[in-house]
Amino acid sequence: MEILYAPKFVRQYKKLSPEIQLLAEKREEIFCKDPFDSRLKTHKLSGRLGIYYAFSVNFSYRIIFDFQDKEIAHFYEIGPHDIYD
């Protein structure tokens, strides 16, 4: 799976601690093999974010994304649960 990164995602990622960055990279590896791997807790969002999906980096951090097609995902945001606001 190819991943495209929104500029906002890149800015948010750079502000994360090195530990969270490393964990996000490991989760991305899992995501590339299977976006719906149970370890990621991938789910469809609802409400105004209903066109997006999210998966867990850890208990606190999430990545919001969508699928451009079967082989391309677009990562929009990464951060704590308040990225849904």
Side-chain angles (χ1 to χ4, degrees), residues 12-77:
Q12 291 171 330
Y13 177 84
K14 288 179 180 179
K15 292 179 183 178
L16 297 174
S17 71
E19 295 81 17
I20 298 297
Q21 288 180 356
L22 181 60
L23 185 55
E25 291 167 15
K26 289 180 181 179
R27 293 297 184 170
E28 185 179 317
E29 289 176 15
I30 295 169
F31 179 89
C32 286
K33 292 177 185 168
D34 179 3
F36 293 96
D37 186 297
S38 62
R39 293 174 285 181
L40 298 174
K41 300 182 178 99
T42 303
H43 58 284
K44 181 95 167 122
L45 298 177
S46 60
R48 68 176 180 80
L49 297 175
I51 62 171
Y52 301 106
Y53 291 82
F55 69 86
S56 297
V57 173
N58 66 8
F59 184 73
S60 299
Y61 286 82
R62 310 281 183 275
I63 292 176
I64 294 177
F65 71 96
D66 69 7
F67 293 104
Q68 301 294 307
D69 64 31
K70 284 185 140 188
E71 294 300 318
I72 301 173
H74 195 156
F75 285 12
Y76 292 98
E77 294 191 54

